[in-house]
């Protein structure tokens, strides 16, 4: 079994819960996006929730690798998550993109926190996984920021 601590396990469980709750929000954006940008955003949201399916699976399997039980139910995920659920009925497209940027921000905070705690625990495997996910989801967040014209690089 990999070296880790209860704190690192708990932080990684929060990442998994955040990933799952955010996944469902992005799926809802995919279904509910209205108007002339439908084809663009419907596709982009699909790409994002597909990536979140993969990251959620990687995190859950890392938890099993370090001897923990992943989050198994939706109610446990909602209880443990720091990401808020959204119900985007009648939302405008830009509101959905802003919700995506905000959700990615919370998810990245959760990944950063877990990476720091795992680093203190000497759990290099978990750090490596989270660093890969941080890099990937920072890039995805940048693309949604660029869509809104709010790219930090101007
Ligand atoms: Fe679909």
């Amino acid at each position: 079994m990999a070296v880790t601590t209860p704190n690192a396990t708990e932080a990684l469980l929060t990442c998994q819960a955040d990933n799952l709750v955010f996944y469902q929000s992005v799926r809802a954006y995919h279904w509910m996006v209205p108007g002339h940008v439908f084809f663009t955003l419907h596709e982009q949201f699909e790409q994002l929730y597909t990536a979140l399916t993969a990251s959620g699976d990687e995190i859950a399997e890392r938890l099993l690798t370090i001897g923990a039980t992943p989050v198994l139910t939706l109610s446990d995920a909602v209880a443990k998550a720091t990401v808020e659920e959204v119900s985007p009925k009648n939302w405008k497209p830009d509101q959905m993109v802003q919700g995506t940027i905000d959700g990615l921000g919370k998810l990245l905070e959760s990944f950063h926190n877990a990476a720091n705690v795992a680093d203190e625990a000497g759990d290099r495997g978990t750090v490596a996984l989270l660093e890969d996910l941080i890099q990937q989801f920072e890039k995805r967040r940048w693309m949604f920021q660029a869509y809104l014209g709010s790219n930090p690089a101007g």
Side-chain angles (χ1 to χ4, degrees):
M1 194 178 297
V3 176
T4 196
T5 63
N7 283 349
T9 300
E10 195 54 43
L12 196 57
L13 280 165
T14 302
C15 291
Q16 190 210 345
D18 282 330
N19 192 100
L20 186 54
V21 170
F22 183 53
Y23 163 87
Q24 180 55 31
S25 299
V26 177
R27 191 99 207 194
Y29 296 146
H30 167 77
W31 292 326
M32 300 300 289
V33 63
H36 298 297
V37 293
F38 174 83
F39 288 111
T40 302
L41 288 184
H42 184 70
E43 169 65 26
Q44 291 306 313
F45 291 138
E46 180 168 346
Q47 285 187 20
L48 180 56
Y49 75 65
T50 300
L52 288 161
T53 303
S55 57
D57 193 53
E58 289 294 333
I59 294 167
E61 290 175 359
R62 180 66 194 167
L63 281 157
L64 289 159
T65 302
I66 62 177
T69 304
V71 174
L72 300 178
T73 68
L74 298 174
S75 51
D76 281 354
V78 170
K80 201 174 268 300
T82 65
V83 172
E84 304 249 333
E85 286 188 290
V86 299
S87 180
K89 194 176 175 187
N90 300 321
W91 283 29
K92 297 201 175 340
D94 282 6
Q95 200 179 353
M96 293 180 175
V97 175
Q98 188 59 55
T100 301
I101 293 165
D102 295 344
L104 282 167
K106 295 291 277 187
L107 187 67
L108 284 162
E109 268 179 43
S110 190
F111 289 173
H112 273 277
N113 176 59
N116 290 340
V117 177
D119 192 33
E120 285 164 22
D123 181 354
R124 304 305 310 165
T126 296
V127 172
L129 169 63
L130 291 167
E131 284 177 343
D132 284 350
L133 294 178
I134 287 167
Q135 186 178 18
Q136 178 200 153
F137 285 104
E138 281 179 343
K139 181 171 181 180
R140 291 180 184 279
R141 179 174 60 174
W142 156 64
M143 290 193 281
F144 282 101
Q145 286 168 328
Y147 176 90
L148 277 193
S150 58
N151 181 352

